Amino acid sequence: MTETARERVAIIGTGLAGLTTAHLLQNDPKKRYAVTLLEQADSLSFDSASVAVKSHETGAVERVDLPMRASAGGYYANLNRMYHHLEVPMHPVRFLFVFAKALKQRGTEAGNCQDSSQSPSAAASAVPDGYFVHASNLHQLPPPRPSAYSTWRYLLEILYLIICHAWFRAACFLVRPHDESFAQYLERIWLPRRYTTHYILPLMSSVSTCTHDELLAFPASDLVNYNKFSYGQQHYTVCGGVQQVQSRLSRGIEDIRVRSRVLEVLPRSSGKVLIRWQDTVGAQEEVFDRAVLAVSPDVASRLFAPLKTTGLDKIPTTWVESSILTNASRAHSLVDSDDRTSQGKVACMHHAAVEVESASTQVITLRTQFSGLGGARSEALHTMPSGVVVSTCPLDGESEATQKRTLKTAGFRRTLRTVESRATVERIFRDGSGGTTDGWVNGENNVWLVGSWCWDGMVLLEGCVVSAMRVADEFGVEIPWRK
């Protein structure tokens, strides 16, 4: 099929969902589609916030992703299959999750003061106001004891957690969620309140990057399925950062238009789609055969008028910030993108320091503020192998002490889930059984939606891949990793 005979498909947005869709269509064995990527930022967005950080002590250069990207087997089945198909280098990683209280007299620095000479276990035990340390997949038994706890007190806490954890796990497998929120489900299974507020909510809100109240409003099925499918599974991260994924997915796509802010997507009576955007030259418009919106629901509703009647604009979103912090002596610095010498030294710290325990075991401190404006919320502080700390949902990010240690801050729009928004998504994607299909549905007017929120599950990377695969199916394109 000649290039002029191919159907032209515009994909708006270059996060993982947009890039995965573009990759599948671009590599259609029958070569039926010509893909155009439109991105308002200066570069493809999936890896746009990631940076290279150099340690002044060792000279090592580490690629740090913002936000942190990690996946677990089971729940991320399609993501991991795609990575394997693309030959993306990955490595397993073990975490020590430190649960700690965020007291007003202590700043963010109290939660991530790991000394370079400390082992991860020692660092986890030393976190101020820590009340428990959980080893992922129970890789370390007994887990490190917080320094403020006596042995007997810690043993009692472990016994309490064994009972509560078994209770919650059994409920996830045996008690099927109704059409209810997570808060209603927890009340129905009679889970002890302290276990919920001090363990379940800090951990899962850090995964979802939202407040505790926002997490409690999620559909119960989201959290139950996440816990069922990720139970006992290994965690993985991409060697050298998600630039490895972005480069593979975008390979071979020639028509990539950055600095192009899409203003409007208009269906034509001919069945084609008119797209208007603004770039560095000025206002532009072009007609495509099909369009894929790989953006958040509020943006999609703003760009494409037929979506205004679907309720997409009512799906809640929140702004999330993630920062890279160095230690008090500022022993790290960002590597300039033009510094070819240092950029060429970027390595996967897991393999560069394979003999060092911190390369395979990393500490994530979950500092929880149990009261205050906006309700309870938790900050995640992930200590990377190089020693820098990635702070997500900071509790005191504007403090002078934190600002002095900040190397970079990035923000992103997070789509939240509710029972009501789940019904909206099901209606658009016709995922519900026997539900009404009144109103616009995915693919109508030759416009499709993809994204982490475009499926019946947690708003995570797996949703990006699943929704892209759905579009490929509707376009009749073979999905190679499904084999």
Side-chain angles (χ1 to χ4, degrees):
M1 183 176 290
T2 63
E3 185 70 28
T4 55
R6 290 187 180 188
E7 287 194 51
R8 301 187 64 227
V9 182
I11 298 176
I12 302 165
T14 59
L16 182 61
L19 291 177
T20 303
T21 306
H23 174 81
L24 287 168
L25 301 186
Q26 177 71 23
N27 292 279
D28 171 31
K30 298 180 180 179
K31 301 188 181 302
R32 291 165 291 176
Y33 303 102
V35 174
T36 297
L37 284 172
L38 294 167
E39 170 59 53
Q40 68 174 354
D42 295 337
S43 61
L44 300 179
S45 67
F46 186 48
D47 181 57
S48 61
S50 303
V51 294
V53 177
K54 183 177 182 178
S55 168
H56 297 166
E57 181 180 352
T58 65
V61 180
E62 179 182 24
R63 186 74 178 179
V64 179
D65 290 330
L66 283 182
M68 186 191 84
R69 314 281 190 176
S71 60
Y75 195 78
Y76 291 89
N78 292 287
L79 177 75
N80 288 331
R81 288 191 196 109
M82 183 181 75
Y83 283 179
H84 179 74
H85 167 74
L86 295 173
E87 298 182 345
V88 172
M90 300 178 68
H91 64 254
V93 61
R94 298 176 299 187
F95 294 115
L96 289 176
F97 295 98
V98 183
F99 295 86
K101 297 178 182 178
L103 301 183
K104 291 183 178 180
Q105 65 268 29
R106 301 188 191 273
T108 296
E109 61 274 11
N112 51 63
C113 52
Q114 181 174 344
D115 186 272
S116 59
S117 62
Q118 285 182 308
S119 68
S121 297
S125 297
V127 171
D129 308 312
Y131 54 87
F132 193 76
V133 180
H134 168 64
S136 61
N137 295 331
L138 304 179
H139 71 265
Q140 184 172 338
L141 291 175
R145 175 174 58 87
S147 57
Y149 272 40
S150 67
T151 301
W152 284 109
R153 184 183 177 188
Y154 200 45
L155 289 175
L156 288 174
E157 187 73 7
I158 290 175
L159 179 61
Y160 169 78
L161 290 177
I162 290 174
I163 296 171
C164 291
H165 189 67
W167 188 338
F168 180 58
R169 286 295 181 189
C172 287
F173 283 94
L174 301 176
V175 182
R176 184 177 179 179
H178 298 159
D179 188 17
E180 60 189 340
S181 68
F182 189 45
Q184 292 169 324
Y185 181 81
L186 292 174
E187 184 176 348
R188 186 158 64 90
I189 65 173
W190 292 81
L191 195 68
R193 180 173 177 80
R194 181 174 174 272
Y195 179 70
T196 296
T197 58
H198 283 61
Y199 293 97
I200 295 293
L201 296 183
L203 180 60
M204 293 309 303
S205 67
S206 70
V207 172
S208 303
T209 57
C210 63
T211 67
H212 292 196
D213 286 344
E214 289 167 342
L215 182 71
L216 288 168
F218 276 36
S221 59
D222 285 12
L223 283 302
V224 170
N225 288 332
Y226 181 87
N227 280 279
K228 283 172 60 177
F229 291 112
S230 61
Y231 178 65
Q233 297 290 332
Q234 178 66 58
H235 293 87
Y236 296 92
T237 57
V238 175
C239 300
V242 294
Q243 63 177 349
Q244 302 269 14
V245 181
Q246 180 172 282
S247 63
R248 285 165 170 78
L249 288 175
S250 60
R251 187 177 298 157
I253 302 175
E254 298 179 355
D255 193 0
I256 299 177
R257 308 180 190 183
V258 295
R259 304 185 187 92
S260 299
R261 184 170 65 90
V262 175
L263 305 174
E264 196 172 16
V265 177
L266 296 169
R268 304 283 82 182
S269 58
S270 62
K272 296 183 183 291
V273 183
L274 174 67
I275 298 180
R276 292 176 175 154
W277 71 91
Q278 185 84 23
D279 61 16
T280 54
V281 177
Q284 309 288 342
E285 66 176 46
E286 198 167 333
V287 175
F288 293 85
D289 295 295
R290 310 187 190 196
V292 179
L293 307 185
V295 295
S296 60
D298 54 328
V299 173
S301 180
R302 188 167 66 246
L303 295 180
F304 187 52
L307 290 176
K308 297 184 187 301
T309 61
T310 63
L312 272 191
D313 58 335
K314 295 181 175 60
I315 293 181
T317 62
T318 188
W319 185 253
V320 177
E321 287 191 350
S322 189
S323 301
I324 299 175
L325 310 176
T326 185
N327 55 25
S329 60
R330 293 191 63 84
H332 306 85
S333 61
L334 298 182
V335 175
D336 192 282
S337 58
D338 295 327
D339 185 350
R340 301 299 182 186
T341 302
S342 295
Q343 287 286 348
K345 294 180 180 178
V346 174
C348 172
M349 297 298 288
H350 175 81
H351 294 108
V354 70
E355 300 298 328
V356 181
E357 184 186 356
S358 62
S360 58
T361 302
Q362 299 172 20
V363 177
I364 298 180
T365 301
L366 305 174
R367 294 177 65 240
T368 300
Q369 178 180 287
F370 289 100
S371 61
L373 293 176
R377 55 197 184 102
S378 298
E379 172 185 21
L381 297 159
H382 180 190
T383 303
M384 304 296 291
S386 64
V388 297
V389 175
V390 176
S391 166
T392 305
C393 300
L395 298 178
D396 43 19
E398 296 182 358
S399 70
E400 183 178 353
T402 301
Q403 288 293 323
K404 288 181 178 179
R405 299 174 51 215
T406 301
L407 297 177
K408 180 175 180 176
T409 297
F412 59 96
R413 179 65 57 182
R414 163 71 78 180
T415 301
L416 302 174
R417 292 269 286 177
T418 65
V419 174
E420 294 75 21
S421 71
R422 181 193 184 201
T424 298
V425 171
E426 284 184 338
R427 184 169 59 250
I428 291 173
F429 294 97
R430 292 170 287 189
D431 288 341
S433 57
T436 178
T437 57
D438 292 340
W440 189 88
V441 293
N442 199 40
E444 192 173 341
N445 307 119
N446 275 328
V447 175
W448 281 261
L449 300 173
V450 295
S452 57
W453 58 275
C454 297
W455 76 313
D456 189 23
M458 299 277 282
V459 183
L460 299 170
L461 294 181
E462 179 71 5
C464 297
V465 179
V466 170
S467 60
M469 291 169 64
R470 181 196 290 122
V471 169
D473 283 336
E474 296 193 20
F475 282 37
V477 174
E478 177 185 303
I479 300 169
W481 55 85
R482 184 175 279 161
K483 296 177 182 180

